[in-house]
Amino acid sequence: MRLPKHIAPATVLALSLLAGCKGCKQEDSVPAASPDGSARASSLRSGVKVPLPDGWSAQVAPDDSFQAGPPGRPVLRVDLRRGQGAQKPSSEDLADRVREELKGYEISLDQEEDTQDYSLLRITMAPRLADGGIGAHAPGFFGARKLNEDLFLCASLPGATPEDVLLATEACRNIEVQAAPR
């Protein structure tokens, strides 16, 4: 599937936010999907669970990020930053980065949420056209989940529907560490 040219900057934004969040050094990502790529709850690494909606599958992308979504259409990206949990960006940090990276877009901040362990920014974006108009609107989200000492950075991917964004948001919000079997 080829993405429209006006959506391509959203990919760049997702990658730049995940790779360069304020205060987050880019370190190795160690995600790993379940062996068959279809488990409802997929692991980024041993003991970490990303609860996925029914029908979604997960895979490790060529850049080593964890990606999940409906079959053949990833809509959620998760990157792990080991030992960087204390550097969790706030929703305000995420919004500042979005505004910086998407200067050629109309941005609507639809939801901002901050807890001790989770930050969320949901947006609607539309490219500003050369004729002064506004292009097609697209939903998006960026999230950061702190678990113990680790930081999980999440983003929706281009082509996500509003429903996909909500489901991806919940998957990110509910990343958890499972207790070791006894």
Side-chain angles (χ1 to χ4, degrees):
M1 176 174 88
R2 189 171 178 100
L3 296 173
K5 287 183 182 180
H6 70 276
I7 297 296
T11 304
V12 173
L13 175 66
L15 296 175
S16 69
L17 281 172
L18 292 174
C21 82
K22 189 181 279 186
C24 301
K25 297 176 188 169
Q26 185 163 355
E27 296 205 358
D28 60 337
S29 297
V30 187
S34 60
D36 67 358
S38 63
R40 181 166 153 70
S42 296
S43 295
L44 286 168
R45 64 180 186 159
S46 179
V48 176
K49 183 174 120 178
V50 179
L52 299 178
D54 288 334
W56 279 29
S57 60
Q59 64 184 7
V60 176
D63 65 0
D64 289 331
S65 66
F66 169 89
Q67 296 186 8
R73 194 170 59 87
V75 297
L76 168 64
R77 175 187 170 108
V78 180
D79 287 274
L80 168 61
R81 301 290 183 251
R82 287 187 182 165
Q84 295 183 24
Q87 298 173 6
K88 178 187 72 65
S90 68
S91 63
E92 186 175 317
D93 293 334
L94 295 172
D96 288 345
R97 187 66 186 244
V98 165
R99 287 184 195 105
E100 179 183 319
E101 295 290 330
L102 290 179
K103 290 180 182 172
Y105 281 71
E106 254 335 284
I107 304 293
S108 167
L109 301 180
D110 302 331
Q111 180 183 359
E112 295 178 71
E113 179 183 328
D114 287 289
T115 68
Q116 181 177 347
D117 296 325
Y118 184 71
S119 300
L120 161 73
L121 177 68
R122 258 190 335 100
I123 65 169
T124 299
M125 60 187 152
R128 293 185 186 116
L129 303 177
D131 66 6
I134 301 294
H137 290 78
F141 100 94
F142 303 94
R145 174 88 164 107
K146 176 186 171 199
L147 279 172
N148 300 324
E149 300 303 316
D150 295 332
L151 180 63
F152 296 85
L153 299 171
C154 306
S156 58
L157 294 171
T161 66
E163 181 181 352
D164 292 336
V165 168
L166 292 175
L167 292 171
T169 299
E170 287 307 307
C172 183
R173 180 189 327 266
N174 293 308
I175 293 172
E176 61 186 47
V177 175
Q178 298 186 137
R182 294 178 188 225

